[in-house]
Amino acid sequence: MALFDLPLAELRTYRPDIPEPDDLDAFWSATLAEARTHDTPVIATRVDTGLTLVDTWDVTFPGFGGHPVRAWYTRPAGVDGDLPAVVEFLGYGRGRGEPIERLTWANAGYAHLLMDSRGQGGQHGNGGDTPDPVGSEPAAPGFVTRGIRSPHTVYYRRLYTDAARAVDAVRTLPGVDASRVAALGNSQGGGIAIAVAGLVPDLTAVAASAPFLCHVQRAIGLVDTEPYAEIVRYLAVHRGAEESVLRTLSYLDGVHLARRARAAALFGTGLRDTVCPPSTAFAAFNAWADGDPSVPRDIAVYPFNHHENGDAVHHRRILTWFATHL
């Protein structure tokens, strides 16, 4: 794929004027307040993974509507004391898989919580364990159009809420320094990490790579790849639904939620990414903390990379960023 988006010099100053719902803060405040009324305890059960250098627990915590959400909690074995925590969110269609798959953060000395994505886990990886018990009206195959005619029914209202509750949950787990928690993710996971940073004001650090659901209206007009193509297919069938769909998506847009974040942030984007275009990542990055210069932020740019972003090279950058800020 050749370069197709704005030139890098323009991306660095790209701050589009995207209309924001007047009740955005009230909507999310009420959503999270309702979710936190469910006082189901966080359950952590030790599991034998066959690994000796890390300890792992199978975690269940209450998410949106009090629904049980699964996660893996892993930390370095034999380490006493409370550790800073990294809460990781998954890419589109992935579930939490097996507990031996994602060991970077525990091996770097962090307590690591990997959240399962409700209803996902059937497209990539090794499966998931969290159902989504909420139905929806007709939708395109995938997840992004489920309940998309209203912010109250849209699937990502539930997933973002689960993610915020994952931060609540990790702070209750043994061996976690509740004052030092980071959010991490790539693609869908990057979009969720941005959302959580906007919804949970006291996060310490964030790493969001190739983030999904940022500057959504531009993305669906610029690329024809999945998952954004699901929105286009939905609107091709549900003619006349554009206004309600775009209004719903505005409650999820990472640009609005990034503006409310205050954590130190490291972004990553590939300039040839036709899945989550670089201009959409820069739109969220440039909105971060509403431009407050006292909030540390940086964006790693990979001029010749697609949606794989910086791959392991970028993971090295995240490790350095977290070591400095977390």
Side-chain angles (χ1 to χ4, degrees), residues 15-30:
R15 294 197 68 173
D17 183 13
I18 305 173
E20 181 178 297
D22 292 338
D23 64 340
L24 181 69
D25 291 319
F27 171 81
W28 281 112
S29 177

Side-chain angles (χ1 to χ4, degrees), residues 18-248:
I18 305 173
E20 181 178 297
D22 292 338
D23 64 340
L24 181 69
D25 291 319
F27 171 81
W28 281 112
S29 177
T31 296
L32 294 179
E34 194 284 329
R36 288 174 174 137
T37 64
H38 300 278
D39 57 0
T40 307
V42 177
I43 300 172
T45 304
R46 181 77 175 269
V47 295
D48 181 4
T49 63
L51 302 178
T52 58
L53 300 182
V54 296
D55 296 327
T56 301
W57 289 259
D58 186 350
V59 171
T60 303
F61 66 89
F64 177 90
H67 306 150
V69 179
R70 305 288 291 279
W72 295 122
Y73 173 53
T74 305
R75 52 176 284 136
V79 176
D80 295 325
D82 293 343
L83 300 173
V86 174
V87 182
E88 184 174 3
F89 306 110
L90 292 159
Y92 201 78
R94 287 188 179 275
R96 67 174 181 163
E98 296 294 326
I100 62 173
E101 291 184 61
R102 294 172 185 255
L103 302 174
T104 297
W105 308 107
N107 277 286
Y110 298 104
H112 176 231
L113 187 77
L114 177 67
M115 188 189 87
D116 209 12
S117 297
R118 61 168 60 217
Q120 299 191 37
Q123 292 176 246
H124 310 286
N126 292 296
D129 299 297
T130 302
D132 182 11
V134 180
S136 74
E137 61 192 10
F143 310 97
V144 70
T145 65
R146 294 184 183 181
I148 201 170
R149 299 291 284 271
S150 167
H152 295 280
T153 57
V154 69
Y155 168 81
Y156 279 91
R157 180 191 184 208
R158 302 190 291 281
L159 192 59
Y160 284 5
T161 302
D162 291 347
R165 295 290 282 145
V167 173
D168 294 346
V170 81
R171 286 174 162 158
T172 72
L173 293 174
V176 169
D177 180 348
S179 68
R180 292 187 291 164
V181 178
L184 164 79
N186 179 74
S187 193
Q188 173 184 258
I192 297 172
I194 291 170
V196 169
L199 298 175
V200 181
D202 58 348
L203 278 184
T204 304
V206 172
S209 310
F212 182 47
L213 289 177
C214 296
H215 200 355
V216 179
Q217 189 165 358
R218 176 172 173 80
I220 63 176
L222 189 61
V223 299
D224 58 5
T225 48
E226 307 293 344
Y228 285 118
E230 294 174 22
I231 301 170
V232 175
R233 281 200 302 274
Y234 180 88
L235 291 174
V237 174
H238 298 272
R239 301 166 183 88
E242 179 179 359
E243 182 178 353
S244 62
V245 165
L246 293 179
R247 179 178 180 273
T248 295

